[in-house]
Amino acid sequence: MISLLLLFTVAFAGPVQDVQEIVELGPRVAGTEGGEAAQGWVLGALAESGYASRRLMGPPGASVVVGCQSGEGPAVWVLAHTDTVHALSPGVIDNAAGMAIALEVARRVRREDLPVRACFGFPDGEEQGFYGSRVLQARLGGDEEPRLV
């Protein structure tokens, strides 16, 4: 039992730390200071993992942070929204946990030779109407064209 707990702790230390850091940002309602902080945090986390990350801007409260593996051709996209539904919600499960898992996948596949490229998107404004995803959809094309989302 102890070895299983140790294995779990080692395997998931990164995502658990990420969830703690994301929640410490406070409420992450789109278009607020907290929403901006979450977008900035994930932009930095992707860059630290070796991705050429960038933020695509739409109207206030509608943006998306993206990072893709190097390469060409259609990509598999993994999405996890950064915003919370309400200013009183810490958003641990919805959606700090999803962000942390998507980032961990990004870290683990960064230098892998996959049959298709992996791209990661972290939209804001999802709780208000999928606004960040709409920004992403409008801007995708070429080598970032999704094969699967």
Side-chain angles (χ1 to χ4, degrees):
M1 182 65 168
I2 299 283
S3 60
L4 183 60
L5 182 59
L6 180 61
L7 176 64
F8 179 82
T9 302
V10 170
F12 295 101
V16 169
Q17 179 66 34
D18 287 344
V19 168
Q20 289 173 337
E21 289 181 23
I22 295 163
V23 170
E24 287 174 3
L25 295 173
R28 302 177 307 279
V29 176
T32 68
E33 187 177 312
E36 290 294 314
Q39 288 279 288
W41 184 90
V42 77
L43 184 70
L46 278 173
E48 286 176 16
S49 298
Y51 287 87
S53 58
R54 66 191 191 283
R55 187 173 177 199
L56 306 175
M57 302 298 293
S63 64
V64 59
V65 172
V66 299
C68 292
Q69 285 181 308
S70 298
E72 298 178 0
V76 171
W77 279 84
V78 176
L79 302 178
H81 69 89
T82 60
D83 59 316
T84 55
V85 69
H86 192 275
L88 297 178
S89 170
V92 176
I93 299 301
D94 187 12
N95 192 36
M99 290 171 62
I101 295 302
L103 280 169
E104 186 64 18
V105 172
R107 290 179 187 119
R108 291 184 184 209
V109 303
R110 172 67 182 100
R111 291 180 177 82
E112 295 294 322
D113 185 22
L114 303 174
V116 294
R117 289 185 329 130
C119 290
F120 299 87
F122 296 87
D124 193 22
E126 299 309 283
E127 298 290 1
Q128 289 81 13
F130 304 105
Y131 297 135
S133 291
R134 292 175 191 205
V135 169
L136 181 63
Q137 180 186 20
R139 305 260 181 97
L140 286 181
D143 287 338
E144 292 179 342
E145 186 72 30
R147 177 176 283 180
L148 180 68
V149 178

